[in-house]
Amino acid sequence: MIDLELPESGRCGLEVVQRKHLYHARQCACGHWTCAEPATAGEEADWRVALSERHLAGPRLVALICALSLRLRLSRRRVQEFLTDWLGRSLSAATINQCCTRPGAQ
């Protein structure tokens, strides 16, 4: 997951962090399997966006993308350019679009 964090005290700006979440499946001696996986929300009528923890962007990055796209009215391609130029991260237009549509259901 890629997200933004506030810097340590004494520094200014935002820091881009990338975390790797590991999910696993284990079998105990009795034969039972225990699986760890991202949580998902139940389906809703008239809503086509799946809500789960299985997303590339974290909450602060999603908020920045929404602000750039919805408040400043930048196109998905312009948001893509901004993230590449200013944060050094390259996201697809589809990922940016998902970040703009997902928060509306929460």
Side-chain angles (χ1 to χ4, degrees):
M1 175 178 63
I2 300 170
D3 203 5
L4 301 174
E5 283 191 355
L6 299 175
E8 299 171 6
S9 62
R11 297 182 63 196
C12 62
L14 294 173
E15 294 180 6
V16 179
V17 294
Q18 185 170 352
R19 290 189 179 88
K20 183 176 182 178
H21 295 273
L22 300 175
Y23 301 104
H24 67 279
R26 300 263 193 248
Q27 185 176 23
C28 65
C30 71
H32 175 75
W33 280 91
T34 301
C35 300
E37 57 186 36
T40 56
E43 292 185 22
E44 293 182 34
D46 301 328
W47 190 257
R48 298 179 193 182
V49 180
L51 294 177
S52 75
E53 292 179 351
R54 192 182 305 251
H55 292 283
L56 178 65
R60 284 193 178 123
L61 182 57
V62 168
L64 175 64
I65 290 171
C66 285
L68 292 172
S69 179
L70 303 173
R71 178 125 178 146
L72 300 179
R73 300 183 186 269
L74 296 181
S75 68
R76 304 300 190 247
R77 296 286 179 213
R78 293 283 185 200
V79 172
Q80 211 173 16
E81 288 176 18
F82 179 90
L83 296 175
T84 302
D85 294 346
W86 288 92
L87 300 179
R89 293 293 187 256
S90 200
L91 296 179
S92 71
T95 300
I96 292 168
N97 188 56
Q98 182 184 38
C99 290
C100 293
T101 57
R102 182 182 67 168
Q106 296 177 347

